[in-house]
Amino acid sequence: MNQTHVHLLITHLPIFGSLLGGFVLAYGLLSKSNNTKIAAYFLFIISAIGAGIAYSTGEAAEETIEDIQGVVEATIKTHQEFALFALLSLLVLGVAAVLGLVFTIKKSPLTRTTAFVILLIALISFGLVARAGYLGGQIRHTEITNTPQPAESSEKDAD
């Protein structure tokens, strides 16, 4: 397994981790369960770590595919630039989750307010990382782009 494989595998973690963590945190807020909030914070921390790994393996993934026919350099660049915003938002989410974890464990009066702020950061982060994933998908998944691809002629058409 090389860095390109790692990149393709790990990129889904921040997307689904931030979304799932948001649902878990919302449930923790509604049920007033500190243990549920703590579980959400761990999901956010893991998602932030995953975002760091995805970003750090992106360059190797680019080198692997940049010379493949049909891959457009501008699409890679757009994904790369947006991925930086997604990474930064997930890092902020991870740091906020660590603070939320500390406040919750220490039973701080700021626990509930912090949880709401972290939920807002999680929603924003999910939007950014999902967009980065969508842009990354456009690099090789022509079925999600808006531009029609020319159909290859089959042997039947040649007859």
Side-chain angles (χ1 to χ4, degrees), residues 12-45:
H12 297 89
L13 176 61
I15 297 169
F16 292 112
S18 60
L19 180 63
L20 179 61
F23 284 130
V24 172
L25 184 56
Y27 180 76
L29 283 164
L30 290 173
S31 66
K32 298 180 181 177
S33 167
N34 283 341
N35 287 336
T36 305
K37 290 179 209 164
I38 289 170
Y41 297 147
F42 278 114
L43 283 169
F44 294 144
I45 293 166

PDB file of all heavy atoms in Angstrom, residues 12-45:
ATOM      1  N   HIS A  12     -12.261   9.679   3.417  1.00  0.00           N
ATOM      2  CA  HIS A  12     -13.654   9.562   3.831  1.00  0.00           C
ATOM      3  C   HIS A  12     -13.826   9.730   5.343  1.00  0.00           C
ATOM      4  O   HIS A  12     -14.912  10.081   5.807  1.00  0.00           O
ATOM      5  CB  HIS A  12     -14.226   8.222   3.372  1.00  0.00           C
ATOM      6  CG  HIS A  12     -14.249   8.104   1.889  1.00  0.00           C
ATOM      7  ND1 HIS A  12     -13.183   7.603   1.175  1.00  0.00           N
ATOM      8  CD2 HIS A  12     -15.186   8.448   0.982  1.00  0.00           C
ATOM      9  CE1 HIS A  12     -13.472   7.648  -0.109  1.00  0.00           C
ATOM     10  NE2 HIS A  12     -14.683   8.147  -0.256  1.00  0.00           N
ATOM     11  N   LEU A  13     -12.772   9.489   6.097  1.00  0.00           N
ATOM     12  CA  LEU A  13     -12.856   9.590   7.557  1.00  0.00           C
ATOM     13  C   LEU A  13     -13.262  10.987   8.031  1.00  0.00           C
ATOM     14  O   LEU A  13     -14.199  11.115   8.830  1.00  0.00           O
ATOM     15  CB  LEU A  13     -11.539   9.149   8.197  1.00  0.00           C
ATOM     16  CG  LEU A  13     -11.452   9.293   9.713  1.00  0.00           C
ATOM     17  CD1 LEU A  13     -12.513   8.448  10.404  1.00  0.00           C
ATOM     18  CD2 LEU A  13     -10.077   8.912  10.200  1.00  0.00           C
ATOM     19  N   PRO A  14     -12.616  12.067   7.586  1.00  0.00           N
ATOM     20  CA  PRO A  14     -13.028  13.386   8.067  1.00  0.00           C
ATOM     21  C   PRO A  14     -14.446  13.761   7.631  1.00  0.00           C
ATOM     22  O   PRO A  14     -15.155  14.457   8.370  1.00  0.00           O
ATOM     23  CB  PRO A  14     -12.006  14.349   7.455  1.00  0.00           C
ATOM     24  CG  PRO A  14     -10.915  13.519   6.917  1.00  0.00           C
ATOM     25  CD  PRO A  14     -11.407  12.132   6.765  1.00  0.00           C
ATOM     26  N   ILE A  15     -14.851  13.285   6.470  1.00  0.00           N
ATOM     27  CA  ILE A  15     -16.202  13.612   5.995  1.00  0.00           C
ATOM     28  C   ILE A  15     -17.239  12.955   6.904  1.00  0.00           C
ATOM     29  O   ILE A  15     -18.105  13.624   7.481  1.00  0.00           O
ATOM     30  CB  ILE A  15     -16.393  13.163   4.526  1.00  0.00           C
ATOM     31  CG1 ILE A  15     -15.443  13.923   3.605  1.00  0.00           C
ATOM     32  CG2 ILE A  15     -17.851  13.364   4.099  1.00  0.00           C
ATOM     33  CD1 ILE A  15     -15.371  13.382   2.190  1.00  0.00           C
ATOM     34  N   PHE A  16     -17.154  11.652   7.011  1.00  0.00           N
ATOM     35  CA  PHE A  16     -18.165  10.935   7.786  1.00  0.00           C
ATOM     36  C   PHE A  16     -17.965  11.104   9.287  1.00  0.00           C
ATOM     37  O   PHE A  16     -18.933  11.101  10.048  1.00  0.00           O
ATOM     38  CB  PHE A  16     -18.194   9.457   7.390  1.00  0.00           C
ATOM     39  CG  PHE A  16     -18.707   9.270   5.999  1.00  0.00           C
ATOM     40  CD1 PHE A  16     -17.864   8.828   4.989  1.00  0.00           C
ATOM     41  CD2 PHE A  16     -20.022   9.563   5.675  1.00  0.00           C
ATOM     42  CE1 PHE A  16     -18.330   8.662   3.698  1.00  0.00           C
ATOM     43  CE2 PHE A  16     -20.505   9.404   4.383  1.00  0.00           C
ATOM     44  CZ  PHE A  16     -19.648   8.953   3.394  1.00  0.00           C
ATOM     45  N   GLY A  17     -16.719  11.285   9.717  1.00  0.00           N
ATOM     46  CA  GLY A  17     -16.454  11.487  11.140  1.00  0.00           C
ATOM     47  C   GLY A  17     -17.030  12.790  11.655  1.00  0.00           C
ATOM     48  O   GLY A  17     -17.611  12.837  12.740  1.00  0.00           O
ATOM     49  N   SER A  18     -16.896  13.854  10.863  1.00  0.00           N
ATOM     50  CA  SER A  18     -17.444  15.138  11.305  1.00  0.00           C
ATOM     51  C   SER A  18     -18.969  15.120  11.284  1.00  0.00           C
ATOM     52  O   SER A  18     -19.619  15.693  12.160  1.00  0.00           O
ATOM     53  CB  SER A  18     -16.897  16.288  10.452  1.00  0.00           C
ATOM     54  OG  SER A  18     -17.239  16.125   9.092  1.00  0.00           O
ATOM     55  N   LEU A  19     -19.547  14.433  10.310  1.00  0.00           N
ATOM     56  CA  LEU A  19     -21.008  14.333  10.244  1.00  0.00           C
ATOM     57  C   LEU A  19     -21.545  13.476  11.395  1.00  0.00           C
ATOM     58  O   LEU A  19     -22.457  13.883  12.121  1.00  0.00           O
ATOM     59  CB  LEU A  19     -21.439  13.738   8.897  1.00  0.00           C
ATOM     60  CG  LEU A  19     -22.936  13.567   8.685  1.00  0.00           C
ATOM     61  CD1 LEU A  19     -23.645  14.915   8.715  1.00  0.00           C
ATOM     62  CD2 LEU A  19     -23.201  12.852   7.368  1.00  0.00           C
ATOM     63  N   LEU A  20     -20.975  12.291  11.571  1.00  0.00           N
ATOM     64  CA  LEU A  20     -21.411  11.406  12.645  1.00  0.00           C
ATOM     65  C   LEU A  20     -21.173  12.052  14.008  1.00  0.00           C
ATOM     66  O   LEU A  20     -22.039  12.002  14.890  1.00  0.00           O
ATOM     67  CB  LEU A  20     -20.683  10.065  12.559  1.00  0.00           C
ATOM     68  CG  LEU A  20     -21.020   9.047  13.648  1.00  0.00           C
ATOM     69  CD1 LEU A  20     -22.498   8.680  13.613  1.00  0.00           C
ATOM     70  CD2 LEU A  20     -20.154   7.812  13.499  1.00  0.00           C
ATOM     71  N   GLY A  21     -20.024  12.667  14.172  1.00  0.00           N
ATOM     72  CA  GLY A  21     -19.728  13.353  15.431  1.00  0.00           C
ATOM     73  C   GLY A  21     -20.736  14.453  15.723  1.00  0.00           C
ATOM     74  O   GLY A  21     -21.139  14.656  16.876  1.00  0.00           O
ATOM     75  N   GLY A  22     -21.162  15.160  14.675  1.00  0.00           N
ATOM     76  CA  GLY A  22     -22.182  16.197  14.855  1.00  0.00           C
ATOM     77  C   GLY A  22     -23.500  15.624  15.336  1.00  0.00           C
ATOM     78  O   GLY A  22     -24.142  16.179  16.249  1.00  0.00           O
ATOM     79  N   PHE A  23     -23.911  14.490  14.760  1.00  0.00           N
ATOM     80  CA  PHE A  23     -25.141  13.837  15.215  1.00  0.00           C
ATOM     81  C   PHE A  23     -25.005  13.357  16.665  1.00  0.00           C
ATOM     82  O   PHE A  23     -25.928  13.516  17.471  1.00  0.00           O
ATOM     83  CB  PHE A  23     -25.504  12.655  14.314  1.00  0.00           C
ATOM     84  CG  PHE A  23     -26.109  13.053  12.997  1.00  0.00           C
ATOM     85  CD1 PHE A  23     -25.606  12.527  11.818  1.00  0.00           C
ATOM     86  CD2 PHE A  23     -27.171  13.935  12.927  1.00  0.00           C
ATOM     87  CE1 PHE A  23     -26.154  12.879  10.597  1.00  0.00           C
ATOM     88  CE2 PHE A  23     -27.734  14.301  11.717  1.00  0.00           C
ATOM     89  CZ  PHE A  23     -27.225  13.768  10.542  1.00  0.00           C
ATOM     90  N   VAL A  24     -23.864  12.775  16.978  1.00  0.00           N
ATOM     91  CA  VAL A  24     -23.643  12.271  18.342  1.00  0.00           C
ATOM     92  C   VAL A  24     -23.634  13.437  19.333  1.00  0.00           C
ATOM     93  O   VAL A  24     -24.241  13.351  20.412  1.00  0.00           O
ATOM     94  CB  VAL A  24     -22.336  11.443  18.421  1.00  0.00           C
ATOM     95  CG1 VAL A  24     -21.989  11.084  19.861  1.00  0.00           C
ATOM     96  CG2 VAL A  24     -22.455  10.184  17.569  1.00  0.00           C
ATOM     97  N   LEU A  25     -22.974  14.534  18.976  1.00  0.00           N
ATOM     98  CA  LEU A  25     -22.928  15.684  19.875  1.00  0.00           C
ATOM     99  C   LEU A  25     -24.319  16.298  20.054  1.00  0.00           C
ATOM    100  O   LEU A  25     -24.708  16.661  21.168  1.00  0.00           O
ATOM    101  CB  LEU A  25     -21.934  16.733  19.366  1.00  0.00           C
ATOM    102  CG  LEU A  25     -21.729  17.944  20.264  1.00  0.00           C
ATOM    103  CD1 LEU A  25     -21.301  17.538  21.674  1.00  0.00           C
ATOM    104  CD2 LEU A  25     -20.711  18.891  19.650  1.00  0.00           C
ATOM    105  N   ALA A  26     -25.069  16.393  18.973  1.00  0.00           N
ATOM    106  CA  ALA A  26     -26.438  16.929  19.073  1.00  0.00           C
ATOM    107  C   ALA A  26     -27.274  16.052  20.004  1.00  0.00           C
ATOM    108  O   ALA A  26     -28.027  16.565  20.850  1.00  0.00           O
ATOM    109  CB  ALA A  26     -27.074  17.016  17.690  1.00  0.00           C
ATOM    110  N   TYR A  27     -27.126  14.753  19.863  1.00  0.00           N
ATOM    111  CA  TYR A  27     -27.851  13.835  20.755  1.00  0.00           C
ATOM    112  C   TYR A  27     -27.385  14.013  22.194  1.00  0.00           C
ATOM    113  O   TYR A  27     -28.193  14.003  23.126  1.00  0.00           O
ATOM    114  CB  TYR A  27     -27.670  12.379  20.304  1.00  0.00           C
ATOM    115  CG  TYR A  27     -28.401  11.413  21.195  1.00  0.00           C
ATOM    116  CD1 TYR A  27     -29.783  11.271  21.101  1.00  0.00           C
ATOM    117  CD2 TYR A  27     -27.717  10.668  22.153  1.00  0.00           C
ATOM    118  CE1 TYR A  27     -30.464  10.407  21.941  1.00  0.00           C
ATOM    119  CE2 TYR A  27     -28.383   9.793  22.988  1.00  0.00           C
ATOM    120  CZ  TYR A  27     -29.753   9.669  22.888  1.00  0.00           C
ATOM    121  OH  TYR A  27     -30.427   8.815  23.715  1.00  0.00           O
ATOM    122  N   GLY A  28     -26.093  14.180  22.387  1.00  0.00           N
ATOM    123  CA  GLY A  28     -25.555  14.403  23.729  1.00  0.00           C
ATOM    124  C   GLY A  28     -26.094  15.669  24.359  1.00  0.00           C
ATOM    125  O   GLY A  28     -26.374  15.708  25.564  1.00  0.00           O
ATOM    126  N   LEU A  29     -26.261  16.704  23.541  1.00  0.00           N
ATOM    127  CA  LEU A  29     -26.828  17.960  24.053  1.00  0.00           C
ATOM    128  C   LEU A  29     -28.302  17.781  24.411  1.00  0.00           C
ATOM    129  O   LEU A  29     -28.756  18.264  25.455  1.00  0.00           O
ATOM    130  CB  LEU A  29     -26.663  19.078  23.020  1.00  0.00           C
ATOM    131  CG  LEU A  29     -25.262  19.677  22.932  1.00  0.00           C
ATOM    132  CD1 LEU A  29     -25.088  20.474  21.647  1.00  0.00           C
ATOM    133  CD2 LEU A  29     -25.007  20.556  24.144  1.00  0.00           C
ATOM    134  N   LEU A  30     -29.041  17.097  23.549  1.00  0.00           N
ATOM    135  CA  LEU A  30     -30.472  16.886  23.809  1.00  0.00           C
ATOM    136  C   LEU A  30     -30.704  15.991  25.028  1.00  0.00           C
ATOM    137  O   LEU A  30     -31.602  16.246  25.826  1.00  0.00           O
ATOM    138  CB  LEU A  30     -31.154  16.279  22.584  1.00  0.00           C
ATOM    139  CG  LEU A  30     -31.305  17.198  21.371  1.00  0.00           C
ATOM    140  CD1 LEU A  30     -31.832  16.431  20.170  1.00  0.00           C
ATOM    141  CD2 LEU A  30     -32.219  18.364  21.706  1.00  0.00           C
ATOM    142  N   SER A  31     -29.901  14.960  25.147  1.00  0.00           N
ATOM    143  CA  SER A  31     -30.081  14.015  26.255  1.00  0.00           C
ATOM    144  C   SER A  31     -29.329  14.440  27.518  1.00  0.00           C
ATOM    145  O   SER A  31     -29.457  13.798  28.557  1.00  0.00           O
ATOM    146  CB  SER A  31     -29.617  12.624  25.832  1.00  0.00           C
ATOM    147  OG  SER A  31     -28.219  12.622  25.605  1.00  0.00           O
ATOM    148  N   LYS A  32     -28.563  15.508  27.413  1.00  0.00           N
ATOM    149  CA  LYS A  32     -27.748  16.021  28.524  1.00  0.00           C
ATOM    150  C   LYS A  32     -26.797  14.953  29.064  1.00  0.00           C
ATOM    151  O   LYS A  32     -26.550  14.859  30.256  1.00  0.00           O
ATOM    152  CB  LYS A  32     -28.638  16.585  29.626  1.00  0.00           C
ATOM    153  CG  LYS A  32     -29.466  17.753  29.165  1.00  0.00           C
ATOM    154  CD  LYS A  32     -30.341  18.305  30.238  1.00  0.00           C
ATOM    155  CE  LYS A  32     -31.148  19.453  29.644  1.00  0.00           C
ATOM    156  NZ  LYS A  32     -32.090  20.011  30.579  1.00  0.00           N
ATOM    157  N   SER A  33     -26.245  14.170  28.126  1.00  0.00           N
ATOM    158  CA  SER A  33     -25.334  13.092  28.484  1.00  0.00           C
ATOM    159  C   SER A  33     -23.891  13.511  28.226  1.00  0.00           C
ATOM    160  O   SER A  33     -23.487  13.693  27.069  1.00  0.00           O
ATOM    161  CB  SER A  33     -25.662  11.837  27.667  1.00  0.00           C
ATOM    162  OG  SER A  33     -24.626  10.889  27.787  1.00  0.00           O
ATOM    163  N   ASN A  34     -23.128  13.655  29.280  1.00  0.00           N
ATOM    164  CA  ASN A  34     -21.721  14.018  29.126  1.00  0.00           C
ATOM    165  C   ASN A  34     -20.930  12.905  28.455  1.00  0.00           C
ATOM    166  O   ASN A  34     -19.998  13.173  27.696  1.00  0.00           O
ATOM    167  CB  ASN A  34     -21.100  14.376  30.478  1.00  0.00           C
ATOM    168  CG  ASN A  34     -21.505  15.768  30.932  1.00  0.00           C
ATOM    169  OD1 ASN A  34     -21.948  16.586  30.132  1.00  0.00           O
ATOM    170  ND2 ASN A  34     -21.362  16.027  32.205  1.00  0.00           N
ATOM    171  N   ASN A  35     -21.283  11.648  28.733  1.00  0.00           N
ATOM    172  CA  ASN A  35     -20.580  10.541  28.085  1.00  0.00           C
ATOM    173  C   ASN A  35     -20.781  10.564  26.567  1.00  0.00           C
ATOM    174  O   ASN A  35     -19.854  10.258  25.813  1.00  0.00           O
ATOM    175  CB  ASN A  35     -21.042   9.198  28.657  1.00  0.00           C
ATOM    176  CG  ASN A  35     -20.520   8.962  30.057  1.00  0.00           C
ATOM    177  OD1 ASN A  35     -19.502   9.528  30.446  1.00  0.00           O
ATOM    178  ND2 ASN A  35     -21.211   8.152  30.823  1.00  0.00           N
ATOM    179  N   THR A  36     -21.962  10.926  26.125  1.00  0.00           N
ATOM    180  CA  THR A  36     -22.231  11.018  24.690  1.00  0.00           C
ATOM    181  C   THR A  36     -21.444  12.176  24.073  1.00  0.00           C
ATOM    182  O   THR A  36     -20.901  12.048  22.983  1.00  0.00           O
ATOM    183  CB  THR A  36     -23.741  11.174  24.431  1.00  0.00           C
ATOM    184  OG1 THR A  36     -24.420  10.093  25.072  1.00  0.00           O
ATOM    185  CG2 THR A  36     -24.054  11.166  22.950  1.00  0.00           C
ATOM    186  N   LYS A  37     -21.365  13.290  24.777  1.00  0.00           N
ATOM    187  CA  LYS A  37     -20.566  14.424  24.295  1.00  0.00           C
ATOM    188  C   LYS A  37     -19.099  14.020  24.181  1.00  0.00           C
ATOM    189  O   LYS A  37     -18.427  14.359  23.199  1.00  0.00           O
ATOM    190  CB  LYS A  37     -20.699  15.629  25.233  1.00  0.00           C
ATOM    191  CG  LYS A  37     -22.048  16.294  25.202  1.00  0.00           C
ATOM    192  CD  LYS A  37     -22.051  17.443  26.193  1.00  0.00           C
ATOM    193  CE  LYS A  37     -23.441  17.661  26.718  1.00  0.00           C
ATOM    194  NZ  LYS A  37     -23.460  18.473  27.920  1.00  0.00           N
ATOM    195  N   ILE A  38     -18.615  13.294  25.161  1.00  0.00           N
ATOM    196  CA  ILE A  38     -17.218  12.837  25.136  1.00  0.00           C
ATOM    197  C   ILE A  38     -16.978  11.935  23.931  1.00  0.00           C
ATOM    198  O   ILE A  38     -15.948  12.046  23.246  1.00  0.00           O
ATOM    199  CB  ILE A  38     -16.857  12.140  26.468  1.00  0.00           C
ATOM    200  CG1 ILE A  38     -16.763  13.185  27.584  1.00  0.00           C
ATOM    201  CG2 ILE A  38     -15.560  11.355  26.349  1.00  0.00           C
ATOM    202  CD1 ILE A  38     -16.660  12.611  28.987  1.00  0.00           C
ATOM    203  N   ALA A  39     -17.925  11.060  23.643  1.00  0.00           N
ATOM    204  CA  ALA A  39     -17.803  10.182  22.466  1.00  0.00           C
ATOM    205  C   ALA A  39     -17.721  11.020  21.192  1.00  0.00           C
ATOM    206  O   ALA A  39     -16.910  10.742  20.294  1.00  0.00           O
ATOM    207  CB  ALA A  39     -18.971   9.212  22.396  1.00  0.00           C
ATOM    208  N   ALA A  40     -18.542  12.066  21.106  1.00  0.00           N
ATOM    209  CA  ALA A  40     -18.518  12.954  19.937  1.00  0.00           C
ATOM    210  C   ALA A  40     -17.167  13.651  19.823  1.00  0.00           C
ATOM    211  O   ALA A  40     -16.608  13.768  18.719  1.00  0.00           O
ATOM    212  CB  ALA A  40     -19.635  13.989  20.035  1.00  0.00           C
ATOM    213  N   TYR A  41     -16.628  14.093  20.936  1.00  0.00           N
ATOM    214  CA  TYR A  41     -15.334  14.776  20.904  1.00  0.00           C
ATOM    215  C   TYR A  41     -14.231  13.846  20.396  1.00  0.00           C
ATOM    216  O   TYR A  41     -13.362  14.272  19.634  1.00  0.00           O
ATOM    217  CB  TYR A  41     -14.982  15.340  22.277  1.00  0.00           C
ATOM    218  CG  TYR A  41     -15.942  16.399  22.768  1.00  0.00           C
ATOM    219  CD1 TYR A  41     -16.233  16.548  24.116  1.00  0.00           C
ATOM    220  CD2 TYR A  41     -16.585  17.260  21.872  1.00  0.00           C
ATOM    221  CE1 TYR A  41     -17.113  17.523  24.564  1.00  0.00           C
ATOM    222  CE2 TYR A  41     -17.472  18.230  22.311  1.00  0.00           C
ATOM    223  CZ  TYR A  41     -17.736  18.356  23.657  1.00  0.00           C
ATOM    224  OH  TYR A  41     -18.605  19.313  24.095  1.00  0.00           O
ATOM    225  N   PHE A  42     -14.286  12.591  20.799  1.00  0.00           N
ATOM    226  CA  PHE A  42     -13.292  11.641  20.285  1.00  0.00           C
ATOM    227  C   PHE A  42     -13.459  11.429  18.776  1.00  0.00           C
ATOM    228  O   PHE A  42     -12.465  11.315  18.050  1.00  0.00           O
ATOM    229  CB  PHE A  42     -13.352  10.306  21.036  1.00  0.00           C
ATOM    230  CG  PHE A  42     -12.605  10.326  22.333  1.00  0.00           C
ATOM    231  CD1 PHE A  42     -13.272  10.206  23.541  1.00  0.00           C
ATOM    232  CD2 PHE A  42     -11.225  10.474  22.359  1.00  0.00           C
ATOM    233  CE1 PHE A  42     -12.575  10.228  24.741  1.00  0.00           C
ATOM    234  CE2 PHE A  42     -10.517  10.494  23.548  1.00  0.00           C
ATOM    235  CZ  PHE A  42     -11.196  10.385  24.750  1.00  0.00           C
ATOM    236  N   LEU A  43     -14.689  11.411  18.302  1.00  0.00           N
ATOM    237  CA  LEU A  43     -14.914  11.307  16.849  1.00  0.00           C
ATOM    238  C   LEU A  43     -14.315  12.513  16.125  1.00  0.00           C
ATOM    239  O   LEU A  43     -13.710  12.365  15.054  1.00  0.00           O
ATOM    240  CB  LEU A  43     -16.409  11.202  16.538  1.00  0.00           C
ATOM    241  CG  LEU A  43     -17.051   9.848  16.797  1.00  0.00           C
ATOM    242  CD1 LEU A  43     -18.574   9.954  16.707  1.00  0.00           C
ATOM    243  CD2 LEU A  43     -16.536   8.834  15.792  1.00  0.00           C
ATOM    244  N   PHE A  44     -14.477  13.687  16.700  1.00  0.00           N
ATOM    245  CA  PHE A  44     -13.918  14.886  16.076  1.00  0.00           C
ATOM    246  C   PHE A  44     -12.389  14.867  16.084  1.00  0.00           C
ATOM    247  O   PHE A  44     -11.759  15.277  15.104  1.00  0.00           O
ATOM    248  CB  PHE A  44     -14.419  16.153  16.783  1.00  0.00           C
ATOM    249  CG  PHE A  44     -15.896  16.398  16.629  1.00  0.00           C
ATOM    250  CD1 PHE A  44     -16.629  16.939  17.672  1.00  0.00           C
ATOM    251  CD2 PHE A  44     -16.566  16.097  15.451  1.00  0.00           C
ATOM    252  CE1 PHE A  44     -17.984  17.189  17.543  1.00  0.00           C
ATOM    253  CE2 PHE A  44     -17.917  16.329  15.316  1.00  0.00           C
ATOM    254  CZ  PHE A  44     -18.629  16.883  16.365  1.00  0.00           C
ATOM    255  N   ILE A  45     -11.811  14.408  17.165  1.00  0.00           N
ATOM    256  CA  ILE A  45     -10.344  14.333  17.240  1.00  0.00           C
ATOM    257  C   ILE A  45      -9.811  13.342  16.209  1.00  0.00           C
ATOM    258  O   ILE A  45      -8.847  13.627  15.489  1.00  0.00           O
ATOM    259  CB  ILE A  45      -9.902  13.965  18.677  1.00  0.00           C
ATOM    260  CG1 ILE A  45     -10.233  15.115  19.634  1.00  0.00           C
ATOM    261  CG2 ILE A  45      -8.409  13.634  18.716  1.00  0.00           C
ATOM    262  CD1 ILE A  45     -10.167  14.747  21.117  1.00  0.00           C
TER     263      ILE A  45
END
